[in-house]
Amino acid sequence: MKIAILSRNSKLYSTKRLVEAAKAKGHEVVVIDHLKCIIEIEKKRPKIYYEGNYISDIDAIIPRIGASVTFYGTAVVRQFEMMKVFTTVESQALVRSRDKLRSLQVLARAGVGLPKTAFTNYAKDSDHLIEAVGGAPLVLKLLEGTQGLGVVLAETKNAATSVMEAFHGLKARVIAQEFIKESGGADIRAFVVGGVVVGAMKRQGKEGEFRSNLHRGGSASLIELSEVEELTALKACKALGLGIAGVDMLQSTTGPLVLEVNSSPGLEGIEAATGKDIAREIIKFVERNVD
């Protein structure tokens, strides 16, 4: 089988691990920088031109699309789909997951537990927005933020109002979310591949930090999910149509609450915390879906 990994950097940990896992299973593997692809659209003749040649004979792709290039990355994935190539993350699911507001609406409709969330395009509605999520303290998030960037904990109502006014002044879109104090600055990431949780870790923010992202200095450790946490992760993936995802959840007194579903989750943190070969599980998922 010939597998293409869509990645802008072949030296990234996740990309290298996927290449290793594919080769270990006897497959041919190439790394393609999706931003360097030229998409040619013609009736019944979809083509992709890359580095002097037309791409052909690809059996499956594993998209590793960064948030900053979602638009073009998704277009490349869609073109491969038109060429009848299997993808571990479908283009529509990628778009759905990257729109934070849309994904939360989809998850809520599917009955997935979420922190109370509110959004407005009108700055003067800040008082109601704050009350809608249970008052201060509350969390404010930029819709376009990633890896913990653009996330602010507002301790008071005045602080929340000031932050929202600043964001609105910059024409930035922001959502307000309930602060789950009992989570203690920690969250859970469940790594789902093909409808199965293949690994889970608990991420703890560094002292004085409510964000648990590893990119923000947090630490990770192995955790065994409860039945309801595992079911919540699987339900979230199914609602968004994702074959591979990292589901981030908070532990609360009312049960697991989903913060976000990441459609291009990194492998380094989860493999280090669990000791599991997650890359191999992804290649096995590809094998199950390609004749």
Side-chain angles (χ1 to χ4, degrees):
M1 187 190 309
K2 188 173 182 179
I3 301 171
I5 300 169
L6 304 187
S7 172
R8 297 194 63 198
N9 187 348
S10 61
K11 296 180 180 179
L12 292 175
Y13 178 91
S14 298
T15 304
K16 289 194 297 183
R17 286 289 297 115
L18 289 167
V19 170
E20 291 169 0
K23 288 182 176 179
K25 297 277 282 179
H27 302 300
E28 183 182 354
V29 59
V30 294
V31 178
I32 295 174
D33 183 346
H34 36 284
L35 290 193
K36 294 181 180 179
C37 291
I38 295 176
I39 297 170
E40 296 186 18
I41 303 169
E42 185 180 350
K43 182 181 179 180
K44 295 185 178 181
R45 293 185 64 190
K47 292 181 286 185
I48 297 175
Y49 189 77
Y50 179 71
E51 294 189 336
N53 296 289
Y54 285 102
I55 293 176
S56 62
D57 302 324
I58 300 294
D59 297 298
I61 60 170
I62 303 175
R64 300 289 308 169
I65 310 296
S68 62
V69 294
T70 297
F71 175 79
Y72 198 76
T74 301
V76 173
V77 173
R78 190 181 305 116
Q79 191 77 352
F80 273 108
E81 290 172 338
M82 292 170 63
M83 293 163 63
K84 309 300 182 184
V85 175
F86 171 75
T87 174
T88 56
V89 180
E90 295 181 358
S91 58
Q92 282 303 307
L94 181 58
V95 171
R96 204 179 293 124
S97 67
R98 285 290 164 79
D99 184 331
K100 287 185 180 180
L101 186 60
R102 181 183 178 185
S103 65
L104 289 172
Q105 290 172 317
V106 170
L107 292 172
R109 184 174 61 190
V112 175
L114 305 167
K116 292 178 183 177
T117 304
F119 172 76
T120 182
N121 201 40
Y122 183 53
K124 292 184 180 179
D125 282 340
S126 60
D127 284 352
H128 179 75
L129 197 74
I130 293 168
E131 293 306 316
V133 299
L138 68 150
V139 178
L140 299 171
K141 296 181 179 181
L142 285 175
L143 283 179
E144 289 79 18
T146 61
Q147 298 178 349
L149 296 173
V151 181
V152 178
L153 174 62
E155 298 278 5
T156 66
K157 183 177 179 179
N158 286 341
T161 301
S162 296
V163 170
M164 281 190 282
E165 287 176 350
F167 280 143
H168 282 295
L170 295 170
K171 306 297 182 184
R173 296 179 297 173
V174 62
I175 58 174
Q177 240 175 15
E178 175 186 12
F179 176 58
I180 309 300
K181 184 178 180 180
E182 62 265 30
S183 67
D187 72 4
I188 294 170
R189 167 160 288 189
F191 204 107
V192 179
V193 179
V196 178
V197 175
V198 296
M201 62 179 174
K202 186 171 185 176
R203 303 181 298 187
Q204 180 68 55
K206 62 184 179 180
E207 188 175 352
E209 174 62 75
F210 79 100
R211 297 170 298 180
S212 60
N213 304 71
L214 300 184
H215 292 88
R216 306 268 71 80
S219 59
S221 59
L222 176 67
I223 188 174
E224 185 174 342
L225 298 183
S226 67
E227 183 178 356
V228 68
E229 288 166 347
E230 184 169 344
L231 289 174
T232 297
L234 296 178
K235 192 173 186 178
C237 286
K238 184 177 181 180
L240 293 172
L242 290 167
I244 296 174
V247 182
D248 297 338
M249 300 177 284
L250 293 178
Q251 293 176 311
S252 78
T253 54
T254 59
L257 303 175
V258 173
L259 287 174
E260 186 177 4
V261 182
N262 191 323
S263 51
S264 292
L267 301 183
E268 187 169 9
I270 191 73
E271 289 196 334
T274 63
K276 294 183 178 180
D277 191 341
I278 304 296
R280 184 171 182 270
E281 295 298 325
I282 292 173
I283 300 304
K284 287 166 63 178
F285 172 57
V286 172
E287 291 173 336
R288 290 195 299 269
N289 284 275
V290 178
D291 293 332

